[in-house]
Amino acid sequence: MSETQSIIAVRKGKSGVERTMNLLFLLCGLTAVVCVVFMTLYMVVAGGPIIAKVGFFDFVFGRTWNPENSQFGIFPMIVSSIAATGGAVLIALPCGVLVAVFLAKLAPDRIAAALRALIDLLAGIPSVVYGLLGAILLVPLIFNLQTALRLPTSGNLLAAMLILVIMILPTIISVSETAIRAVPKEYEDAALALGSTRLQSIFKVSIPAAKSGIVAGIVLGTGRAIGEAMAVIMVAGNAAIMPTLLGPVRLLTTSIPIEWAYSSGTHRDALYGIGLALFVMIMAINTIFRKTLKKGGAFDDG
Amino acid sequence: MKGNTEIQKLRTEDLHLYYGDVHALKGINMDVHSRCITALIGPSGCGKSTFLKTLNRMNDTIPSVKITGKVILDGEDVYGKNVDVTVLRKKVGMVFQSPNPFPMSIYDNIAYGPRVHGQKRRHELDEIVERSLTSAAIWDEVKDRLKKPALGLSGGQQQRLCIARCLATQPEILLMDEPTSALDPISTSKIEELIYDLKKEYSIVIVTHNMQQAARVSDYTAFFLLGELIEYDTTNAIFSSPKVQQTENYITGRFG
Amino acid sequence: MNMKKPLGIMLSFLLCIAVFAACSSPAGDNAAGGDSSGELSGTVKTGGSTSVEKVMTALIYQFQEGHQDVVIDYEMNGSGDGIKNTINGLYEIGHSSRELKTDGTEDGLTATPYAIDGIAIVVNKENSVANLTKEQLSGIYTGTISNWSEVGGKDAPITVITREEGSGTRSAFGEIIGIEVKDKPETAIVPAATVSDSTGAVQTAVQQNPNAIGYLSFSDVDTAKVNTVSYEGVKISTDTLKNDTYKLKREFYLLTKTGGELSPAGQAFMDYVLSSDGQNIVADQNLLPI
């Protein structure tokens, strides 16, 4: 019989390599935290003063944006941003989920693979290209609609919404498809065994079961839509007025690139203020979504 | 030995099933007697679950499956032309091995079947839900929490819920694929009692891995091996005097 | 384990400080210079108006041909940007297509005119309106006139296109036709006007929109894309600009810090622009030399 091996460690504590790696990981994690904290602080410090100066209510609820005359009301832009993003999500959600269902459940493998590749391609196209196509193809089409309704022809909210829809669709589709695929087959089997048709089992069982995943897709899409500036500038008309569907609009995001280069002093501070407003809006949307998700999630976990 | 044609609920004629090239069911001829419990036994992979699923055409969901032969239910071939599968599955209900209630409330689980078949009136759905849960011997336990999630119930309760869900569509035949194999002994015996009760109204086919369960509960037993129906007789006959050597070997535990 | 918490906090603090420190504003530095042998070399940073793009790029090209070691940077972010960044030293020379403001906010700069530019009023090729008076133009831009039929065109709503607030062209235009007068809100540009952020964008917008009207530098007008409208009965052309019958015009300026010193390359460029060679180029671009 050979000697048995002792199980007592030869060296005390972790090796040097492990300690170094631990430190490295710690630094990386800290850097991420620092970045977020820093950005938040910077936005508050840069954007805060203008809000204090102009007054919170006048800034957030003021209806006129005219920096040359020292008017800094961003309310129309807030409403326009909400309208454009909300409208885009409202349209993209059913379209996206239906395409996801098609991909996950109904399409033959080869068609599904081709479609998925196409969607990934769409996701990778830079937003400026969408803006270009929107300006050249979409906006002139909408001119016809505006003319028929005796409205001035111009860039408009509808064009902005449609561009945003195309930009967020790939995200919603991919995430929803993954969520639907992740629904256990047992649910569908049970539904079929009870006499549902395929479509019934998809819409009454699979989609509700995939709810939390689908909502995650919506959150991602909303985040992208609300932050989009370049593509929107090219199709939205950029007038800082209260939004109408076929009238020109300016979102919170678009003011910044348009006015940045020549702004100075109070005007520039106001642009920081807009940045802060955007920041706050995104935080609010994320929080609301999380809370809604928790409610739905709890239901699922019983 | 086949029963009298009048009490035959369901009959298979020369049923073959192929998974691609694999010949999984080889010429099965079997009867299911009305208001009786028929147990299907045999070692793993012998085809009993596959056979069960041919009875309500659940194998349709698998693309590589090919089926020849007939399954005659009340005189109509289940695999004939113009058969509405959703009506078939209303008539022939299925309970699965692992309890699989939907991630919805208890009420919505039971109401799912009737709703899908067009029942919309609240009042009538309420009645159906109560009746089904009572038939499944679980009404008293859940009557105060019908709106709570079904996934909050214990394993045994969930399985009884699935049985209730099945009963809500008022089927005539119940197919049960190893319904108690995932449950503890107490839940198992509760469900065996339930199944025994249910045979007063329904014809039941139950796949079981557990021979003792088959012996306890069923009226007829079919022994499957490697895709073939080796022997089919009353349960008493199979367990006390099997006619085929392989049947005896299986029952006495020489392989399994 | 209990080493990690204070270590973590300290590291975060240090990182924060490092990041804040790195955010000091960049020192403006001028890289252009000459060496003792008199050969010009280096980079001259300039920037500002988009309206001067055509003539300025032509001038820069010719100048660089004659002085191979000099690079003139020209950033185009609008006259407002040019003025601001010449004051703070980012640009050695700024470009503006409007006069400097006299309200004190743009002090410290010298504006040297080098070209006279006409501001053309443009409409879509399908639009039959050929002439607008000053009242009509200001009415259109302030919103009191909103339909083409009110000025002799077809029955369709007018889509007003304007430049961004910092645009020199916008200020020059506004001054001449009497809109956007400070402290007179009734002269404000109609709020629903589409804002385009460069002279090229205005032309494209008018080209694509049958009911649009816009204004841009004459040197940029492409009559294949848009029609020009006569102002007060006078059609815009180099002749009418020369004989002063077309009144919508303004000068292009080179901006420099008053009392400051230009680099040798920068000074040479300014001299070139004002020389007869430079002025010939100006004339080539449909502008009037000084």
Side-chain angles (χ1 to χ4, degrees), chain C residues 20-85:
Chain C
F20 267 109
C23 286
S24 54
S25 49
D29 66 309
N30 237 324
D35 60 29
S36 48
S37 69
E39 265 292 316
L40 291 174
S41 67
T43 308
V44 181
K45 285 181 83 65
T46 76
S49 166
T50 62
S51 302
V52 310
E53 180 190 355
K54 271 224 177 108
V55 63
M56 193 43 59
T57 44
L59 285 164
I60 290 175
Y61 178 73
Q62 286 301 334
F63 182 76
Q64 286 179 165
E65 285 285 291
H67 299 90
Q68 296 282 350
D69 291 327
V70 176
V71 174
I72 316 268
D73 274 344
Y74 169 33
E75 271 184 42
M76 288 177 264
N77 288 317
S79 301
D81 163 75
I83 293 169
K84 183 188 77 164
N85 284 325

Side-chain angles (χ1 to χ4, degrees), chain A residues 66 143 150 153 237 239 261 263 268, chain C residues 81 84 155 159 191 194-195 209:
Chain A
N66 196 340
F143 282 172
R150 306 187 50 76
T153 51
S263 65
R268 175 155 290 194
Chain C
D81 163 75
K84 183 188 77 164
D155 178 21
T159 304
T194 299
V195 175
N209 187 334

Side-chain angles (χ1 to χ4, degrees), chain B residues 21-214:
Chain B
D21 289 331
V22 177
H23 195 174
L25 290 178
K26 302 171 183 162
I28 313 290
N29 294 290
M30 203 188 99
D31 298 331
V32 172
H33 297 263
S34 191
R35 307 238 167 118
C36 295
I37 301 180
T38 306
L40 309 179
I41 61 173
S44 295
C46 65
K48 49 194 199 292
S49 287
T50 309
F51 175 71
L52 194 74
K53 287 195 250 183
T54 60
L55 302 182
N56 67 350
R57 290 184 65 165
M58 279 304 280
N59 284 315
D60 285 4
T61 61
I62 304 168
S64 58
V65 157
K66 198 179 85 149
I67 294 178
T68 63
K70 293 190 187 166
V71 175
I72 317 271
L73 169 63
D74 284 339
E76 296 170 316
D77 180 11
V78 155
Y79 285 94
K81 284 195 193 316
N82 299 326
V83 165
D84 185 347
V85 175
T86 62
V87 176
L88 168 67
R89 295 186 184 142
K90 187 173 186 289
K91 209 167 155 174
V92 180
M94 179 171 252
V95 175
F96 296 81
Q97 183 171 343
S98 301
N100 57 2
F102 300 131
M104 305 172 188
S105 69
I106 293 174
Y107 186 96
D108 286 332
N109 262 281
I110 310 296
Y112 181 83
R115 278 189 182 134
V116 139
H117 290 290
Q119 177 59 263
K120 294 210 190 301
R121 300 216 207 99
R122 186 55 193 233
H123 181 59
E124 299 186 24
L125 283 173
D126 285 348
E127 268 184 44
I128 293 175
V129 168
E130 183 175 340
R131 191 180 40 193
S132 311
L133 288 168
T134 311
S135 303
I138 194 178
W139 170 250
D140 287 326
E141 289 164 63
V142 300
K143 66 177 188 249
D144 293 325
R145 41 176 178 148
L146 291 176
K147 294 299 185 179
K148 293 257 162 86
L151 292 169
L153 299 172
S154 76
Q157 287 173 318
Q158 284 185 16
Q159 191 64 302
R160 276 182 283 151
L161 178 78
C162 289
I163 295 177
R165 183 175 65 183
C166 204
L167 297 177
T169 61
Q170 295 182 300
E172 294 164 31
I173 300 184
L174 293 179
L175 306 177
M176 299 191 172
D177 192 350
E178 304 197 39
T180 58
S181 64
L183 303 176
D184 61 275
I186 297 185
S187 307
T188 299
S189 76
K190 277 200 183 147
I191 288 185
E192 285 179 8
E193 250 181 68
L194 173 59
I195 295 178
Y196 202 75
D197 255 349
L198 286 173
K199 90 167 176 193
K200 293 184 206 139
E201 303 237 2
Y202 307 93
S203 314
I204 303 180
V205 182
I206 172 170
V207 167
T208 179
H209 221 118
N210 180 339
M211 280 185 290
Q212 288 76 21
Q213 183 174 78

Side-chain angles (χ1 to χ4, degrees), chain A residues 105 184-193 198 201-202 205-206:
Chain A
K105 299 276 180 202
K185 190 167 177 294
E186 292 85 68
Y187 293 150
E188 228 187 276
D189 281 345
L192 288 175
R198 194 97 203 279
S201 74
I202 292 176
V205 175
S206 299

